Amino acid sequence: MKLKKIINFSLATILGFSFLGGISHADNINLTRIEGQNRYETSINVSKQIAQSDCVLIASGEGYADALIGGTLASQEKAPLLLTEKSKLSKGISSEINRLNPKEVFILGGESTLSKNIENEISSLGFNVTRLAGQNRIETAEKIAQQRLFIKSETNKIASTSIEAGVYGYNFPDALVAGPLVGLYSPEKDGTELAYLLPEGNKNNYSKEYNWYFGGYNNSPTDSSVFAGKNRYETSISVANAFKNVLNKNFNTIILVNGENYPDALSASVLSAKYSAPILLTPSKSVYQNLTSYIKNNNIKNIIVVGGNNSINTNVANIYAGKAIAPTPKPVPKPVPKPTPKPAPKPVPKPTPKPAPKPAPKPNINVSYETVSGRIHGNRNSKIYHVPGQRYYNRIKQENLRFFNTEAEAIRAGYRKSKI
């Protein structure tokens, strides 16, 4: 099913919802839904909102890791992100690529994610194909970042200044909403300052070198920008606020996606770029009250829902648009507990005295960096090394510290040099 307007439902149609009240801004909100029979068709119908694009992204519809970071490239270039199966192009993908007529098609992820056959099918259509892939999702994210910087720079060289943004890479919600903000960030017209997104493997132990943090609510340094909330829905609202505060976007449109499951939402980044609109998360079958307040307080005029009724229930979408109000649930009476007879008290055995424990040896708290050989300090978690004089040279936790005698030794061990 292609793009369609969501019309008002009658009182008899939506059982359990009332139209006697509603949100005061109801008459001003335009509600639109983009959906398909499955995640692949939904991505095609999202793509059809774009007339033409110089590049198209192809990502797996069976996993989210590469597509989430690919959202930064999709939003930067206003490039559709099409989802496909692992071994062949899904139905309709070839036709949509032909319609867009791009100069380049980027495949996100290695051959274990999208097979060589995908590459061959696209090449046979007559388009240039580039695969952006590494040994894991972190390396793939770095390849995507390099490609973004290469495209953006007028001199075809990597931009000189970058904002490093960290996000937990093993769950989808935070990275999903972060992608467009990171991809659209470019305060300098010459493209010499960009932001790029890197997935973290441990949500409770982020590297201390990021400029921006998505999630990581209790773990980010105070001198960094943090986009986070007490849950995924609050984090999406925090990122939406950054569209105004960081990107200076005065938007009246939001992209609404399911915050509990990822498939339909993966292709939404290009819509965020087209309308300069943040992606906001909602439960599938219930209303998140703070999101309702956000829509009202920010004078939102358009809501674009990505995904079908199984992704975001029609009743829920109507409530956000002010076309219905949720019923007030009736209080459930608490059952009166029956008195439980008290058991007879058991005899209390006399405690056997335990020998006094030997005092534990005091830890050696006098260890300093200078007492260990090696002048290059590496962070085992982030795989970044620091040389004397750099900002974080003496700020690595001791349990994460690894020493090297030379920079070459650190590089051979898989570390890269800190940029600050």
Side-chain angles (χ1 to χ4, degrees), residues 16-231:
F17 289 83
S18 170
F19 290 90
L20 300 177
I23 300 173
S24 61
H25 63 296
D27 294 338
N28 299 323
I29 288 189
N30 179 44
L31 186 60
T32 305
R33 187 185 292 269
I34 304 174
E35 63 178 314
Q37 295 296 319
N38 52 44
R39 64 193 67 184
Y40 308 111
E41 187 177 345
T42 295
S43 74
I44 292 172
N45 290 334
V46 170
S47 174
K48 286 180 179 178
Q49 310 312 305
I50 307 300
Q52 194 277 332
S53 179
D54 286 342
C55 63
V56 172
L57 312 183
I58 306 295
S60 170
E62 300 169 12
Y64 56 76
D66 299 328
L68 290 176
I69 306 301
T72 60
L73 178 56
S75 54
Q76 175 182 301
E77 298 302 312
K78 292 185 173 63
L81 192 156
L82 296 169
L83 302 180
T84 188
E85 301 159 72
K86 176 180 178 179
S87 58
K88 65 177 181 179
L89 288 177
S90 299
K91 181 181 178 181
I93 299 295
S94 296
S95 298
E96 182 59 11
I97 294 174
N98 278 322
R99 185 192 70 79
L100 291 164
N101 193 29
K103 296 177 182 177
E104 190 87 19
V105 178
F106 294 104
I107 295 176
L108 307 182
E111 292 183 12
S112 62
T113 302
L114 292 174
S115 70
K116 182 69 175 179
N117 187 53
I118 299 287
E119 198 171 333
N120 295 336
E121 282 191 67
I122 299 172
S123 295
S124 69
L125 298 175
F127 296 104
N128 295 324
V129 181
T130 300
R131 186 182 290 270
L132 303 177
Q135 295 297 315
N136 51 49
R137 65 187 65 193
I138 296 175
E139 290 186 8
T140 297
E142 291 174 347
K143 296 289 185 181
I144 292 171
Q146 290 169 5
Q147 187 64 47
R148 287 182 53 229
L149 296 168
F150 180 83
I151 292 173
K152 194 70 174 178
S153 176
E154 292 180 353
T155 58
N156 287 340
K157 294 180 180 179
I158 292 179
S160 58
T161 308
S162 298
I163 295 291
E164 294 182 342
V167 67
Y168 181 54
Y170 291 84
N171 202 359
F172 76 92
D174 294 344
L176 177 67
V177 298
L181 178 66
V182 171
L184 292 172
Y185 179 80
S186 183
E188 303 297 333
K189 293 182 179 180
D190 60 1
T192 55
E193 184 175 2
L194 297 176
Y196 61 91
L197 191 62
L198 292 176
E200 278 280 346
N202 187 342
K203 64 181 178 181
N204 294 318
N205 191 18
Y206 277 15
S207 165
K208 300 300 182 183
E209 293 193 32
Y210 291 115
N211 306 103
W212 290 356
Y213 288 77
F214 295 91
Y217 192 69
N218 297 317
N219 305 294
S220 50
T222 56
D223 59 345
S224 299
S225 295
V226 181
F227 309 103
K230 63 183 180 181
N231 56 42

Side-chain angles (χ1 to χ4, degrees), residues 116-419:
K116 182 69 175 179
N117 187 53
I118 299 287
E119 198 171 333
N120 295 336
E121 282 191 67
I122 299 172
S123 295
S124 69
L125 298 175
F127 296 104
N128 295 324
V129 181
T130 300
R131 186 182 290 270
L132 303 177
Q135 295 297 315
N136 51 49
R137 65 187 65 193
I138 296 175
E139 290 186 8
T140 297
E142 291 174 347
K143 296 289 185 181
I144 292 171
Q146 290 169 5
Q147 187 64 47
R148 287 182 53 229
L149 296 168
F150 180 83
I151 292 173
K152 194 70 174 178
S153 176
E154 292 180 353
T155 58
N156 287 340
K157 294 180 180 179
I158 292 179
S160 58
T161 308
S162 298
I163 295 291
E164 294 182 342
V167 67
Y168 181 54
Y170 291 84
N171 202 359
F172 76 92
D174 294 344
L176 177 67
V177 298
L181 178 66
V182 171
L184 292 172
Y185 179 80
S186 183
E188 303 297 333
K189 293 182 179 180
D190 60 1
T192 55
E193 184 175 2
L194 297 176
Y196 61 91
L197 191 62
L198 292 176
E200 278 280 346
N202 187 342
K203 64 181 178 181
N204 294 318
N205 191 18
Y206 277 15
S207 165
K208 300 300 182 183
E209 293 193 32
Y210 291 115
N211 306 103
W212 290 356
Y213 288 77
F214 295 91
Y217 192 69
N218 297 317
N219 305 294
S220 50
T222 56
D223 59 345
S224 299
S225 295
V226 181
F227 309 103
K230 63 183 180 181
N231 56 42
R232 62 189 63 188
Y233 309 109
E234 294 292 338
T235 294
S236 74
I237 291 173
S238 174
V239 173
N241 288 330
F243 266 65
K244 289 185 177 180
N245 302 332
V246 177
L247 301 183
N248 297 316
K249 303 287 187 184
N250 292 318
F251 57 88
N252 61 10
T253 299
I254 63 169
I255 315 299
L256 192 62
V257 302
N258 184 342
E260 299 166 333
N261 205 3
Y262 65 86
D264 289 334
L266 289 179
S267 57
S269 293
V270 68
L271 296 175
S272 179
K274 178 180 179 179
Y275 296 104
S276 296
I279 295 175
L280 284 156
L281 306 182
T282 178
S284 174
K285 297 179 181 179
S286 62
V287 172
Y288 189 68
Q289 187 57 48
N290 284 356
L291 178 55
T292 303
S293 300
Y294 179 89
I295 292 169
K296 179 180 179 180
N297 296 337
N298 286 274
N299 197 28
I300 299 301
K301 303 293 186 183
N302 305 286
I303 298 177
I304 301 174
V305 177
V306 178
N309 187 62
N310 288 334
S311 288
I312 298 178
N313 184 273
T314 300
N315 301 341
V316 171
N318 277 329
I319 292 170
Y320 284 128
K323 302 179 188 301
I325 60 173
T328 303
K330 294 181 180 179
V332 179
K334 295 182 179 180
V336 179
K338 295 180 180 180
T340 304
K342 294 182 179 181
K346 296 180 179 180
V348 180
K350 293 182 179 180
T352 303
K354 296 181 180 180
K358 295 181 180 181
K362 294 183 178 180
N364 180 9
I365 61 173
N366 297 318
V367 177
S368 66
Y369 293 130
E370 284 70 32
T371 62
V372 187
S373 62
R375 298 186 68 251
I376 307 300
H377 292 179
N379 189 318
R380 297 178 187 273
N381 282 340
S382 63
K383 295 294 184 180
I384 297 173
Y385 71 85
H386 310 260
V387 299
Q390 288 192 304
R391 181 178 176 183
Y392 293 97
Y393 181 71
N394 284 329
R395 294 176 63 181
I396 303 171
K397 293 181 179 179
Q398 189 168 347
E399 62 266 27
N400 295 333
L401 188 59
R402 180 175 175 181
F403 295 90
F404 302 97
N405 291 318
T406 65
E407 291 190 52
E409 181 183 350
I411 293 171
R412 285 195 301 271
Y415 286 65
R416 65 179 178 85
K417 186 175 182 180
S418 172
K419 297 179 180 179

